[in-house]
Amino acid sequence: MPAARGPGARPRQAEVAKAAGVSQATVSLVLGGKDRGSTISDETRHRVLDVARELGYTHDPAARRLAAARNNLLGVFSFTATFPTDVQHSYYSFLVGVEQEAAARGYDLVLFTGSSSGGAGAAAPDALSRVRLADGCLILGRHAPAAELRRLVDDGFPVVHLGRRQEPEGLAWVGADYVSASREVVARLAAQGHRRIVLVREDDEATASTDRERGVHEGLADAGLDTGPWTVFRTADPARCLTVARLCAWREDGVTAIVAEETDTGGAWRALLGAVRAAGWTCPDDISLALLGDPPADLAGEPSPTGFDIPRSRLGGAAVRRLTALVAGETADEPLVLCPHRPGATSGPPR
């Protein structure tokens, strides 16, 4: 394998050629997509591509031109099946804040759509290579691949993740203060008289989920309420697991309030509302519900849920401010953005 490069140095085609045991001309043809119809075998082509991926090589035809001077372009990349453009989409308000702040600072936006055919799967690495065409890039998405982000960070490319992330180390981010907002929701439920509260969350380790869970635990502790394994209900399939039988079992155990996290799909909240209706219950007469975030747009006709609002437009603007600072070689540690409490109509004193 080639000798280790210095910090921030990008791998060269010569290194790929040496590691793959082929000529640099072969590497150039394969990585440039010009090997079709040549004498290069499929085995050789796959070996070159595998080595290039392992070394973190990115085919970047505009890199030399852009390295000399900025062009006032900011990239936006989303790890969703289709880039959101509908005003009801949960990302729409983020994009409004991004656009307004970018325009105010004299930047144009480039939307990278490589995720549209594969999300965070096969298309994502190529799309993340292309974001280098901009001066810097905003990343949106709950499950962005850490390995690809790591390469951008190691290369010193300005990138900001919209949403708090702990990995990879060194990645800049801007996020909402889900901990304090979730703690306040629990505190208000406790003040209404609830003594046994359950949190429903997705079965993964996304930072947004763990922050909400931390806030719930802190709120329970502040109120002096008992906690145990029953306090958090994790599920990968809310529609199947949040049933009438589950609600009845919780109520028999003394649970009078259920708190759900918001996700891109809104699965937990939808399942809870469906189970409550199927049981013939009403909120807050039979059970109190709270949502840690905004309700799905298609449920706008439902009673406003108790919980908190996510300041998406403000988060988008804060992300742009941090990204433009990185592009300019400056530091901009923006604090977590606070989430205003939403009283809502789905909680009240327990019966």
Side-chain angles (χ1 to χ4, degrees), residues 309-327:
D309 296 320
I310 300 176
R312 287 180 165 83
S313 182
R314 288 174 54 200
L315 282 165
V320 170
R321 287 192 293 274
R322 185 156 197 192
L323 181 59
T324 54
L326 291 177
V327 170

Side-chain angles (χ1 to χ4, degrees), residues 13 17 22-30 40:
Q13 287 191 2
V22 298
S23 68
Q24 187 169 341
T26 296
V27 171
S28 179
L29 287 173
V30 172
I40 299 175

Side-chain angles (χ1 to χ4, degrees), residues 84-97 99 312:
T85 54
D86 193 302
V87 296
Q88 292 186 332
H89 196 286
S90 62
Y91 281 0
Y92 180 80
S93 296
F94 285 133
L95 298 177
V96 169
E99 180 184 19
R312 287 180 165 83

Side-chain angles (χ1 to χ4, degrees), residues 11-66:
R12 302 183 301 275
Q13 287 191 2
E15 297 176 63
V16 177
K18 184 175 181 180
V22 298
S23 68
Q24 187 169 341
T26 296
V27 171
S28 179
L29 287 173
V30 172
L31 297 182
K34 301 177 181 179
D35 59 307
R36 299 300 182 182
S38 69
T39 58
I40 299 175
S41 67
D42 287 341
E43 178 182 356
T44 298
R45 182 170 62 87
H46 287 305
R47 185 166 72 251
V48 169
L49 292 174
D50 288 342
V51 169
R53 190 176 300 110
E54 291 172 2
L55 293 179
Y57 177 88
T58 55
H59 184 61
D60 193 4
R64 291 185 179 86
R65 177 175 58 85
L66 294 177

Side-chain angles (χ1 to χ4, degrees), residues 75-87:
V76 181
F77 187 92
S78 168
F79 287 95
T80 56
T82 304
F83 200 90
T85 54
D86 193 302
V87 296

